[in-house]
């Protein structure tokens, strides 16, 4: 194992990697921009090196400075986290050329899966089903028109270099094609410096189901099962779970084998993810491979019992995977809510400020992967994700009840956050039935982001008040417990949530 690893990232993922290092007895080096001088990841690491001003182009994206910091501090490896330099082929190559280990796949595998069109070509040649569409960029409107009519509308124009849902446009009819093509190109040029776009059939109502793979340097490639990531806004994930209600053991096996085949075709090593769309008939189509650790990796960790970040480090250090495919069976249910500094009641507008108070949820089955503390400044320089709240429970129903309970415990003062939005999702009957697909959230966004308690909440509150009065009469000590929890809810101005929790308990929302 390495003696020292540098983490080329910030926020919650930097802390996540520092924790893995510490458990493995590896010293950690943080890097930080001027804006992050007092950030939690800097305080937590064994050493920290400043790398430049706040804008990421002048700090977290300065690969050569980061490599220099690793050399100066005597780190043997660099963990890139996600985002920033994690999927830049040149960076993986530069790290290797500097005599250091890149904790991730070989530069060649990043290149092979780097553009969506080259990934589609590779997947097709490995016999992996892809969404119908082109495997090369479209030249002009005329060609796009021909492709669209052969696929049939609606179609999706996508940036070859895409990521984070950028450079993507749904086109419902021919008349809209030219404008959509232009808009996608412009967005792709601005975001990725590359305006190549290609086209896919736009699939209506599928789920986003992805497979986590883990590959060592000795030829073992394993699937760690699926994650359900259909709760998305503007093609971006907001909450994830493992396993998926739509995946049977047989489908899990088939999707797993397909992901392993795609990873093998790319010469993949380390942790990676194959993303698929899964339709109602159980057909699945490869979307892309993410050649890095994913934000949502904890849900896989909780159902498999494997520490993915530790395995990333062990694989990078040359260790063999000591388990076989048949050893990996998901147990129970895990769910993750992305807690962002965005205001759901205000179109998810990014919110800035200083964290004045923070109450982190705890108790059975709750995990908090956060990157903030009291006093943290939340600005506009970086991604708005403040933390991930993750729960595990034996069943999906129990996981939902636990997540709702944990969200109620969470208090973040100083910035608007996505907390209340997630509470509403947990309260939603369709979500609770698992009746979701990638367009579900956009369809329901109004009811899930309404600033005031819904009328139903008042009804539930009234019912709950009666039930509580009954319970208080029959349970010794009940009155005290009740008073304190409603005080907490009232303090936040959200009485309906507390009432929902109590009513939910009676509805049998407990683990079954
Ligand atoms: P990015 O790399 O920008 O995240 P992806 O290819 O991973 O782009 O797609 C992001 C999301 O966009 C998917 O999870 C899915 O919800 C939606 N999407 C992508 N391709 C299609 C498609 N062909 N049909 C319908 N939805 C799609």
């Amino acid at each position: 194992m390495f003696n020292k690893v540098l983490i080329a990232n910030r926020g919650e993922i930097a802390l996540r990697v520092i924790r893995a290092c510490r458990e493995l007895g590896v010293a950690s080096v943080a890097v930080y921009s001027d804006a992050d001088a007092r950030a939690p990841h800097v305080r937590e690491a064994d050493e920290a090196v400043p790398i430049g001003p706040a804008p990421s182009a002048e700090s977290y994206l300065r690969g050569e400075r980061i490599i220099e910091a690793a050399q100066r501090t005597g780190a043997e490896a660099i963990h890139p986290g996600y985002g920033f330099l994690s999927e830049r082929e040149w960076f993986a190559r530069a790290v290797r050329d500097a005599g250091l280990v890149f904790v991730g796949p070989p530069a060649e595998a990043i290149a092979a899966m780097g553009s969506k069109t080259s990934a589609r070509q590779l997947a097709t040649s490995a016999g992996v089903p892809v969404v119908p569409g082109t495997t090369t960029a479209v030249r002009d409107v005329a060609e796009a028109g021909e492709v669209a009519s052969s696929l049939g509308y609606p179609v999706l124009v996508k940036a070859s270099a895409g990521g984070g849902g950028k450079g993507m446009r749904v086109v419902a009819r021919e008349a809209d094609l030219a404008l959509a093509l232009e808009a996608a190109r412009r967005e792709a040029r601005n975001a990725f410096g590359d305006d190549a776009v290609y086209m896919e059939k736009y699939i209506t109502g599928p789920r986003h189901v992805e497979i986590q793979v883990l590959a060592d340097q000795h030829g073992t490639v394993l699937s760690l099962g699926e994650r359900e990531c259909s709760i998305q806004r503007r093609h971006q994930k907001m909450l994830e779970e493992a396993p998926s209600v739509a995946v049977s053991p047989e489908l899990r096996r088939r999707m797993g084998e397909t992901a392993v085949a795609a990873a093998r075709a790319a010469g993949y090593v380390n942790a990676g993810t194959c993303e698929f769309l899964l339709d109602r008939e159980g057909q699945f189509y490869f979307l892309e491979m993410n050649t890095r650790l994913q934000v949502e990796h904890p849900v896989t960790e909780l159902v498999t019992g494997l520490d993915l970040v530790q395995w990333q480090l062990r694989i990078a250090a040359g260790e063999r995977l000591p388990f076989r495919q048949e050893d990996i069976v998901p147990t129970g249910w895990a769910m993750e809510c992305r807690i962002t500094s965005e205001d759901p009641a205000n179109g998810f507008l990014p919110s800035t400020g200083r964290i004045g108070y923070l109450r982190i949820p705890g108790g059975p089955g709750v995990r908090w992967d956060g990157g903030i503390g009291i006093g943290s400044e939340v600005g506009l320089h970086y991604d708005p994700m403040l933390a991930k709240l993750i729960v595990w429970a034996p069943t999906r129903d129990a996981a939902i009840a636990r997540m709702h309970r944990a969200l109620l415990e969470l208090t973040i003062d100083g910035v608007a956050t996505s907390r209340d939005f997630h509470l509403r999702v947990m309260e939603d009957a369709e979500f609770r039935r698992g009746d979701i697909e990638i367009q579900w959230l956009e369809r329901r966004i109004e009811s899930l982001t309404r600033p005031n308690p819904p009328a139903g909440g008042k009804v539930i509150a009234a019912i709950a008040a009666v039930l509580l009065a009954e319970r208080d009469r029959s349970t010794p000590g009940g009155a005290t417990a009740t008073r304190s929890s409603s005080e907490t809810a009232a303090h936040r101005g959200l009485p309906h949530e507390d009432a929902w929790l109590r009513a939910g308990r009676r509805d049998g929302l407990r683990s079954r």
Side-chain angles (χ1 to χ4, degrees), residues 333-401:
W333 215 277
M335 207 167 265
E336 170 184 285
C337 288
R338 299 188 183 199
I339 307 298
T340 62
S341 52
E342 293 173 310
D343 186 359
N346 205 356
F348 286 88
L349 209 67
S351 166
T352 59
R354 187 169 175 278
I355 308 288
Y357 179 71
L358 174 65
R359 181 186 178 215
I360 295 175
V366 175
R367 167 170 162 181
W368 173 262
D369 279 19
I372 51 163
I374 291 175
S376 291
E377 290 288 343
V378 178
L380 290 173
H381 286 295
Y382 312 113
D383 191 275
M385 200 176 72
L386 303 174
K388 302 173 319 202
L389 179 57
I390 312 130
V391 302
W392 181 92
T395 63
R396 186 171 187 271
D397 284 345
I400 292 173

Side-chain angles (χ1 to χ4, degrees), residues 116 131 156 158 162-166 168 200-203 208 232 235 275 277 287-288 438:
K116 287 192 203 290
V131 181
L156 191 59
K158 289 174 89 167
K166 292 202 184 74
M168 216 184 282
E200 282 178 12
K201 171 81 188 151
Y202 182 67
I203 314 237
H208 174 120
Q232 300 183 356
H235 310 301
E275 298 190 328
L277 291 180
L287 272 181
E288 64 168 346
I438 57 171

Side-chain angles (χ1 to χ4, degrees), residues 98-110:
L100 304 169
V101 177
F102 180 74
V103 184
E108 293 72 18
I110 299 179

